[in-house]
Amino acid sequence: MATHLSRHLHAQGHSIDYVWSRSLDSARTLARQVEARASTKLSELPRQADFYVLAVPDEAVSGLAKDCTDCRGIWLHCAGALSMQVFKGLFPEYGVLYP
């Protein structure tokens, strides 16, 4: 999901600043395609962005979100089995992106 969504947004002229993955090779591969920075460290995530999109397995959304509560922007996830309420109380602006 992350690859397809990122490549499409980039092709439409949207700027993607940062790609995070548990695997640095995966992050670098996608980051090269969309002219972004790559990392496996959430501490390197920009603290202010227009959007943050979590394109990770359903079971990873909550834990990752809780590790990023100091990041300000609109938070979205693509998890098919989760509602946007997984972000409630963590971020003031959030939603779900079901492509």
Side-chain angles (χ1 to χ4, degrees):
M1 176 60 74
T3 298
H4 295 292
L5 184 59
S6 298
R7 288 172 49 193
H8 178 75
L9 290 170
H10 180 71
Q12 296 303 311
H14 297 282
S15 174
I16 298 173
D17 297 327
Y18 186 89
V19 174
W20 174 89
S21 178
R22 290 181 208 144
S23 158
L24 189 54
D25 287 339
S26 294
R28 284 181 175 158
T29 297
L30 180 53
R32 276 192 296 271
Q33 294 176 40
V34 298
E35 301 175 36
R37 292 184 307 139
S39 182
T40 58
K41 299 176 184 173
L42 289 175
S43 62
E44 294 179 359
L45 188 69
R47 294 315 191 223
Q48 181 66 47
D50 293 333
F51 291 94
Y52 296 89
V53 179
L54 289 178
V56 297
D58 295 11
E59 61 274 5
V61 171
S62 180
L64 287 171
K66 288 175 183 172
D67 288 341
C68 299
T69 56
D70 61 332
C71 296
R72 292 293 167 238
I74 300 170
W75 280 81
L76 303 169
H77 73 70
C78 306
L82 297 177
S83 78
M84 67 182 181
Q85 298 306 314
V86 70
F87 292 140
K88 188 175 184 174
L90 299 175
F91 308 109
E93 299 178 289
Y94 53 87
V96 176
L97 178 64
Y98 294 132

